[in-house]
Amino acid sequence: MTQERPGGAGSSPLWEREAELGSVRAAIDLLCTQRLRSVPSRPESPGGLLVFTGEPGVGKTALLDATRKAARDRGCAVWSARGGETLASVPFYVVRQLLKPALLSLSPEEYDRLGGWLDIAGPALGLTEPSGGHVDPQAVSDGLVGAVCDLTEISFPLVLLVDDAHWADQETLRWLVNLAQRLDELRILLVVTHRAVAPGREAAPALARVGALAGLRGVLHDLTPGAAAQLTRARLGSHADDAFCRQVWAVTAGNPYDTVELLAKVEDRGLEPVESSAEELRGLNRSARDGGLIARLSALGTATVELARAAAILGTNIAVPVAAGIAGIPVEEARGRAADLRTARIFAERPPNRADEEDRLEFVHPLIASTVYQAIPVATRTALHGAAAGQLRKAQEPAAVVARHLLEVHPEEDPELVAQLRAAAGEHLGVGAPEAAVRCLERALREPPLPEHHAEVLYELGCATLLTAPTKTIAHLREALALPHFTGQNRVDAVCRLAQALVHNGELEEAVRVIDGEVDLLPLGPHQLRLRALRFMWQGIHAGHQDSTRRSRSLKELADPLHGRDNSERALLIIRAFDALTRGENAAFVVELCDRSLVNGELPPGLGWTDTEWGFELLMMLGSSYLFADRLDRAGNLFNDARREYEDRGWTGAHLALAHCFGGYVLRRRGKLVAAEGLLREALRLADRVGTGLPMHWDAACMLIDTLIARGNIDGAMEVLEKYKVAPPYPSTFIMPDPDSVRGRLLIEAGRVQEGIEALEAAERAALASGRHNTVMATWAADLARALAKEDPARAARLAAVCRAQAERFGTDTAIGEALRCAAVLATGQRSVTLHAQAAAYLEASPCGYEHAVARIEYGIAARSTAELERGTALARACGADTVAARGEEVLASWRRLLG
């Protein structure tokens, strides 16, 4: 039997927990062993994660108490937190319990050593004020992991304990999953306990993921009859007879908490632990929980009951003055009643020598808090939540703290309550808790708001759900736009948000109808021009948009005369440039349009990467236009700025993934293939964290496949193709580079030639239908011509001629050089050599290092020039195009053998 029982012999339910305690001690030993080594900047061995589950009262909290003692005995820093039944709606409540006290205890020098996470995640912990606007929840979660990483450099070895995680808030659960996934980077031991959670419960997915990542996941069971007997004799004396001990086990079913409580009541009654007393045990056990507990509480008096109810409403870390205010009794009287509740083992004893705990209350066990809370009549409970909100406002707590109680009160058409909930929603969004903001705004609608504010609340709710539930966003914004009091800037913003949500929900035509309907209601001016620009933008990124030729003509008539006097005009210039790019119009004109959209070569105010009025799609169009028009310097600067701005603002989701993606493709076009592959893989990793099957996955996957083909890693490219299912049907949004072109080229390289030809022919049909003929963005013509060179030389020649004509119309060195390469492959004799030489010259003048290396090698082989082949091989090796370089080296070696 386990002999270590903190708190007095026989008082702890840590019987039959030898295996669990052994695992805990082993994990602590491993953590402390790392301390004995020279502590590196990176951990030498992974962090530890232990998860223990079990029914209420089975001893999870007691096991954590033993873990805390064992860790402190070894010199570990130990921080702990507990979820609460009434606190699950408070964002970051548990993680704030866990980390905030440690951070506040740091010296100024230690605080200055904290990393860059503080600006992003500090507001979630209550350390800094929100900077305003919406904060990316994933960035906050990453920042909180960064906080733990920094703290391990100050407090090591570090043990984190999280009790009752089934009652943790969703934001903490998101962080727990993130932390568990990154324990190989950290030197901590994390121990989590929770009850079994039904699959449909909100906490279930996160707890399942944490459990799957645990080094040990143990299930705590009730005591056996033998253990219950030993616990009974340890508490009451060795003279407790067998019949009495068996009855103790029978009435408690071996539940450790119930057993300890029952034995305490036996002591209070002075019962002899003999068979004749066994009949009284069942009645005593009923008083430990549920109705018996409430009866025992009622016997302490009305004021005491009211204090206990107030404490149950507040949950944990209960301030006596606030609880007294809710209970309606003086503070000094509340302190006396609290002492009575400690004597009755309902409130926990204060830690010794902790004057700061004088005005803080905790229940002995979560079971007691839950029983007291559930026993409060529903109407009374609602009133007490209202009283709690009033007391917390009086204590000047933030709106977000007060809001959890306002969520529970009955609707009464109270404008002040609506204002408080809207303020709380703003605070939640500012710390990265959009789900909590949604709860507040949905509750505000039920109040309901005054008519003049109703549409504004719906608009705020639509904005809050945009990233998490776009279908709800659509419904909320449609309802807001149908109301009569919704006008001005917010109305235009709502139309733009609704269109954005519809597009991302695959409803482009409906988005255009919404915009058109609003345009007809607006007078000429910036608002109308903004909506017209957005209509063109959404149509422009829609791959299957019908009547794109007429749209392009309308866009040309509207945008070409503009000079970029305001952001609406600048947006139209960018959209026109992107449309001209996709249709293969002259690249110099595309660049001119892009330049006209800037102010002194920079993005103007209000048109930045994190500005929400226009969205990131517009700037992606701008950067892509520079990228495929051979202005890689400007494209690179734009996408690098995007990465920095997103990282500074903590936007680590879809926006940062796309910035990595397009920044990586700039490197691919430059011929820096190794660095490009790294950024593109990081883009996919970031995208995977946001969700699956998203449009950004297609862009990043196609760009990575294209890069891996260039590197000669065909197997790796096929893995990406299959993992991200790059195959028809494709999403409705425009994908760069063209997916059928990328897929066809890869299948041909992999030896699946006929499938590759079919994919390239599908790209041909799509181009003819849409009028989009950019030979750099969609390389199908040159690839198909090469594939058909032997099987159908006449068709191959026609394709090559079309490719060259379109490339010369577009006019970049890259497009013309690649078209000449294709023509050279189909030609023979001196004409082939001449075309290869011209292709190499054009591509040398282009910024595309890989394409130049390939063209130089092909020219060297065609001209049988050792110097050209050596030069091309060196260029390919510098690019990271290993297979192309190997081919050049192989040909050189064969030439040397012939000469030698």
Side-chain angles (χ1 to χ4, degrees):
M1 284 295 154
T2 301
Q3 296 304 309
E4 291 186 22
R5 297 188 292 277
S11 65
S12 168
L14 278 176
W15 293 82
E16 295 188 322
R17 298 291 180 257
E18 293 84 356
E20 291 82 1
L21 285 171
S23 298
V24 165
R25 293 191 185 98
I28 294 171
D29 288 343
L30 177 61
L31 188 69
C32 293
T33 300
Q34 294 180 41
R35 178 178 55 180
L36 299 177
R37 305 170 183 155
S38 57
V39 178
S41 59
R42 288 281 185 182
E44 293 183 17
S45 58
L49 170 59
L50 307 178
V51 175
F52 297 103
T53 63
E55 294 303 312
V58 80
K60 300 182 294 296
T61 300
L63 181 60
L64 284 190
D65 289 340
T67 301
R68 180 183 293 105
K69 181 179 185 303
R72 285 177 174 164
D73 287 347
R74 292 295 306 273
C76 299
V78 184
W79 305 333
S80 59
R82 173 188 285 179
E85 183 178 13
T86 63
L87 295 160
S89 64
V90 181
F92 303 105
Y93 178 77
V94 175
V95 70
R96 189 178 291 198
Q97 281 185 73
L98 197 64
L99 302 183
K100 186 177 180 180
L103 288 162
L104 291 176
S105 70
L106 298 179
S107 67
E109 295 77 15
E110 290 171 331
Y111 202 81
D112 289 342
R113 286 163 51 191
L114 298 179
W117 60 267
L118 191 59
D119 290 340
I120 297 166
L125 294 174
L127 297 174
T128 58
E129 290 297 319
S131 58
H134 297 197
V135 176
D136 180 5
Q138 185 61 54
V140 175
S141 180
D142 289 342
L144 293 171
V145 173
V148 176
C149 187
D150 283 352
L151 288 167
T152 58
E153 299 299 318
I154 299 169
S155 301
F156 178 74
L158 176 59
V159 177
L160 303 181
L161 309 178
V162 179
D163 197 9
D164 288 334
H166 53 282
W167 282 332
D169 56 274
Q170 284 298 305
E171 291 74 19
T172 291
L173 290 172
R174 182 185 296 118
W175 169 77
L176 271 178
V177 172
N178 198 1
L179 182 68
Q181 290 172 332
R182 295 176 58 182
L183 280 175
D184 57 347
E185 306 170 27
L186 302 169
R187 292 171 293 162
I188 65 168
L189 173 62
L190 172 63
V191 187
V192 178
T193 69
H194 63 85
R195 296 180 190 174
V197 178
R201 292 281 302 278
E202 196 173 34
L207 292 177
R209 293 177 67 187
V210 171
L213 294 164
L216 171 69
R217 185 177 186 181
V219 179
L220 303 183
H221 298 287
D222 290 324
L223 300 175
T224 63
Q230 293 200 29
L231 176 55
T232 300
R233 292 183 173 114
R235 182 68 181 258
L236 303 180
S238 59
H239 63 289
D241 65 24
D242 290 343
F244 186 90
C245 292
R246 281 196 303 272
Q247 185 68 0
V248 167
W249 178 82
V251 300
T252 63
N255 182 276
Y257 169 77
D258 287 344
T259 302
V260 170
E261 283 296 304
L262 176 60
L263 296 176
K265 290 176 177 55
V266 169
E267 286 186 311
D268 291 343
R269 287 284 188 92
L271 287 180
E272 280 297 309
V274 295
E275 185 174 5
S276 60
S277 304
E279 288 301 316
E280 298 185 48
L281 293 178
R282 196 168 299 279
L284 285 177
N285 187 60
R286 281 196 294 270
S287 71
R289 276 209 233 175
D290 304 326
L293 172 64
I294 299 306
R296 184 157 54 94
L297 176 61
S298 299
L300 298 176
T302 302
T304 307
V305 170
E306 292 304 320
L307 181 64
R309 286 178 168 182
I313 289 290
L314 293 170
T316 187
N317 194 29
I318 302 148
V320 171
V322 175
I326 298 169
I329 60 177
V331 174
E332 283 305 318
E333 182 181 352
R335 292 190 177 111
R337 302 296 179 182
D340 294 340
L341 288 163
R342 291 189 182 99
T343 302
R345 291 188 300 280
I346 292 173
F347 283 171
E349 292 294 333
R350 290 195 305 270
N353 304 318
R354 286 287 299 275
D356 58 319
E357 296 289 339
E358 176 68 29
D359 272 358
R360 293 287 166 180
L361 304 174
E362 290 286 354
F363 285 94
V364 165
H365 195 279
L367 281 173
I368 295 178
S370 181
T371 299
V372 173
Y373 183 77
Q374 295 299 332
I376 304 172
V378 173
T380 304
R381 192 189 306 165
T382 301
L384 288 174
H385 277 294
Q391 289 297 319
L392 290 169
R393 282 198 302 272
K394 182 179 177 181
Q396 298 184 324
E397 293 288 347
V401 174
V402 178
R404 76 176 178 92
H405 298 288
L406 297 179
L407 294 174
E408 304 296 332
V409 303
H410 291 306
E412 293 182 348
E413 300 185 25
D414 183 352
E416 183 182 350
L417 185 143
V418 172
Q420 290 168 356
L421 287 168
R422 291 175 70 184
E427 290 183 14
H428 290 323
L429 290 171
V431 300
E435 294 94 340
V438 168
R439 288 194 294 271
C440 290
L441 293 169
E442 288 177 339
R443 174 61 186 82
L445 285 174
R446 292 197 299 272
E447 189 61 12
L450 295 173
E452 58 266 32
H453 298 307
H454 199 128
E456 292 176 0
V457 177
L458 283 166
Y459 169 62
E460 291 166 7
L461 182 55
C463 293
T465 57
L466 183 61
L467 294 179
T468 57
T471 54
K472 289 187 177 180
T473 290
I474 292 168
H476 296 318
L477 294 180
R478 281 191 185 281
E479 187 179 351
L481 291 168
L483 293 175
H485 297 284
F486 198 35
T487 58
Q489 179 71 46
N490 273 358
R491 182 177 182 88
V492 176
D493 288 343
V495 172
C496 296
R497 292 291 181 111
L498 175 56
Q500 183 183 22
L502 287 166
V503 169
H504 289 299
N505 204 43
E507 301 178 61
L508 171 76
E509 297 303 330
E510 180 60 23
V512 172
R513 278 195 293 271
V514 167
I515 293 173
D516 285 344
E518 198 68 22
V519 165
D520 293 341
L521 301 175
L522 290 172
L524 290 174
H527 288 334
Q528 189 199 71
L529 196 60
R530 177 187 175 194
L531 291 180
R532 295 178 71 187
L534 284 174
R535 177 181 59 192
F536 282 121
M537 183 181 80
W538 293 128
Q539 291 173 330
I541 66 171
H542 193 271
H545 175 59
Q546 301 299 315
D547 203 11
S548 60
T549 301
R550 187 173 72 173
R551 168 194 167 274
S552 294
R553 283 198 301 268
S554 300
L555 178 57
K556 173 181 170 64
E557 292 170 3
L558 180 63
D560 283 6
L562 300 178
H563 299 284
R565 289 170 297 186
D566 57 32
N567 282 351
S568 295
E569 288 195 3
R570 295 174 188 125
L572 280 163
L573 289 169
I574 293 170
I575 297 162
R576 168 69 175 119
F578 185 75
D579 184 70
L581 172 81
T582 62
R583 304 181 74 81
E585 296 182 37
N586 183 262
F589 177 61
V590 170
V591 171
E592 179 197 335
L593 289 168
C594 291
D595 289 348
R596 278 157 57 188
S597 72
L598 303 177
V599 176
N600 298 321
E602 302 289 339
L603 293 175
L607 210 61
W609 287 102
T610 55
D611 290 315
T612 57
E613 182 177 353
W614 289 95
F616 67 92
E617 294 93 346
L618 186 70
L619 297 186
M620 287 293 173
M621 285 182 163
L622 176 64
S624 299
S625 298
Y626 279 132
L627 167 60
F628 290 103
D630 271 8
R631 294 311 307 263
L632 299 186
D633 52 344
R634 298 186 188 180
N637 289 337
L638 274 170
F639 293 128
N640 287 338
D641 287 347
R643 283 170 54 199
R644 283 193 294 269
E645 195 167 338
Y646 290 148
E647 288 170 345
D648 288 346
R649 288 286 299 273
W651 292 19
T652 62
H655 299 81
L656 188 60
L658 280 168
H660 276 80
C661 173
F662 281 84
Y665 206 59
V666 170
L667 295 175
R668 153 66 184 93
R669 303 301 301 172
R670 286 189 187 280
K672 298 181 179 181
L673 303 181
V674 177
E677 179 183 344
L679 269 186
L680 290 166
R681 289 193 183 278
E682 176 64 7
L684 282 171
R685 187 190 72 81
L686 291 168
D688 288 344
R689 298 198 323 175
V690 177
T692 58
L694 303 173
M696 72 184 108
H697 282 102
W698 295 82
D699 288 309
C702 287
M703 291 176 182
L704 179 56
I705 291 167
D706 182 49
T707 303
L708 293 171
I709 293 171
R711 296 207 66 194
N713 185 358
I714 304 305
D715 290 342
M718 287 297 297
E719 288 177 7
V720 175
L721 183 95
E722 291 165 1
K723 178 178 179 180
Y724 292 99
K725 298 179 175 59
V726 182
Y730 299 114
S732 60
T733 50
F734 198 85
I735 300 168
M736 295 175 280
D738 172 58
D740 271 326
S741 295
V742 171
R743 176 180 169 80
R745 187 164 70 254
L746 174 59
L747 291 171
I748 290 170
E749 290 285 346
R752 296 159 58 177
V753 177
Q754 188 54 44
E755 291 178 72
I757 289 173
E758 290 170 1
L760 295 173
E761 289 175 337
E764 179 183 20
R765 291 191 295 273
L768 291 173
S770 66
R772 288 165 169 163
H773 299 295
N774 188 300
T775 60
V776 182
M777 300 177 78
T779 61
W780 60 267
D783 295 330
L784 188 54
R786 292 188 187 93
L788 297 174
K790 293 182 180 179
E791 174 189 318
D792 191 347
R795 184 183 175 195
R798 290 194 300 272
L799 286 166
V802 169
C803 179
R804 185 167 178 180
Q806 291 172 345
E808 288 175 347
R809 176 179 176 234
F810 188 51
T812 64
D813 291 323
T814 300
I816 296 171
E818 286 292 276
L820 288 169
R821 272 188 62 220
C822 176
V825 170
L826 301 180
T828 58
Q830 185 56 43
R831 170 131 181 94
S832 174
V833 175
T834 300
L835 289 170
H836 275 303
Q838 291 174 347
Y842 269 102
L843 289 167
E844 183 175 12
S846 84
C848 299
Y850 166 73
E851 283 74 12
H852 176 218
V854 173
R856 190 63 60 183
I857 287 175
E858 291 176 346
Y859 173 42
I861 293 172
R864 298 193 63 80
S865 168
T866 300
E868 293 292 348
L869 187 52
E870 287 177 340
R871 182 183 175 196
T873 300
L875 288 170
R877 187 65 70 190
C879 287
D882 300 333
T883 301
V884 174
R887 179 192 174 204
E889 290 165 354
E890 183 180 342
V891 174
L892 283 169
S894 68
W895 287 355
R896 294 187 185 106
R897 286 195 298 272
L898 287 172
L899 293 173

